[in-house]
């Protein structure tokens, strides 16, 4: 509970599902935050993983980590591996995997699958669609692979 010193009657309560310390293992973070979401996505539900925080607090490391290092691999590569392992072991279903990879920075939305597009930008006090591309036109690629 947080309370400003001069506002004792104005308490603010916050609830967290999990809080991780600086020494938390990447696999532990994945298992507690994303594992069940991926299991649900494979069953047909939509899922979103959203990282929010101030600059320098570890969002990029938590999300990406070091993809080639199993101990330091972040949520995104673990998610892709998890999904592909489920697809490989499930012979009775066909899957279509679609993914958006976006970044919001300085009130601009960037489509990270197509690095040169800024989807929406801030102009004075109102928002407008980018000259380049409307916000609905995120990059979409469908790849077929035999596993």
């Amino acid at each position: 509970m947080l309370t400003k010193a001069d506002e004792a009657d104005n308490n603010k309560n916050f609830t967290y599902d999990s809080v991780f310390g600086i020494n938390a293992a990447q696999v532990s973070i994945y298992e507690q935050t994303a594992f069940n979401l991926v299991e649900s996505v494979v069953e047909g539900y939509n899922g979103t993983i959203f990282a929010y925080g101030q600059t320098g607090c570890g969002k990029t490391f938590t999300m990406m980590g070091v993809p080639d290092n199993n101990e330091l691999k972040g949520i995104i590569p673990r998610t892709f591996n998890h999904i592909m392992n489920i697809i490989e072991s499930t012979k009775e279903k066909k899957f279509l995997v679609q993914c958006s990879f976006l970044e919001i920075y300085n009130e601009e939305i960037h489509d990270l699958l197509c690095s040169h597009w800024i989807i929406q930008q801030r102009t004075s006090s109102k928002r407008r669609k980018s000259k380049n591309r409307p916000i609905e036109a995120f990059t979409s690629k469908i790849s077929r692979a035999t596993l």
Side-chain angles (χ1 to χ4, degrees), residues 38-94:
V38 171
E39 294 285 318
S40 296
V41 165
V42 174
E43 292 299 320
Y45 294 93
N46 291 325
T48 299
I49 298 172
F50 185 82
Y52 176 81
Q54 69 186 46
T55 299
C57 70
K59 297 177 302 294
T60 300
F61 183 74
T62 300
M63 294 304 288
M64 287 303 297
V66 181
D68 296 332
N69 180 320
N70 200 43
E71 186 177 321
L72 299 177
K73 190 182 299 184
I75 289 174
I76 292 171
R78 288 180 193 279
T79 298
F80 289 139
N81 287 346
H82 189 171
I83 291 169
M84 292 301 123
N85 287 339
I86 291 171
I87 291 171
E88 286 177 0
S89 65
T90 307
K91 304 299 180 200
E92 65 277 0
K93 292 183 185 176
K94 289 187 177 183

Side-chain angles (χ1 to χ4, degrees), residues 77-113:
R78 288 180 193 279
T79 298
F80 289 139
N81 287 346
H82 189 171
I83 291 169
M84 292 301 123
N85 287 339
I86 291 171
I87 291 171
E88 286 177 0
S89 65
T90 307
K91 304 299 180 200
E92 65 277 0
K93 292 183 185 176
K94 289 187 177 183
F95 293 89
L96 173 63
V97 178
Q98 295 179 307
C99 175
S100 298
F101 196 15
L102 307 175
E103 173 186 66
I104 302 170
Y105 184 75
N106 286 338
E107 298 188 31
E108 292 180 343
I109 301 172
H110 299 264
D111 181 350
L112 298 178
L113 295 176

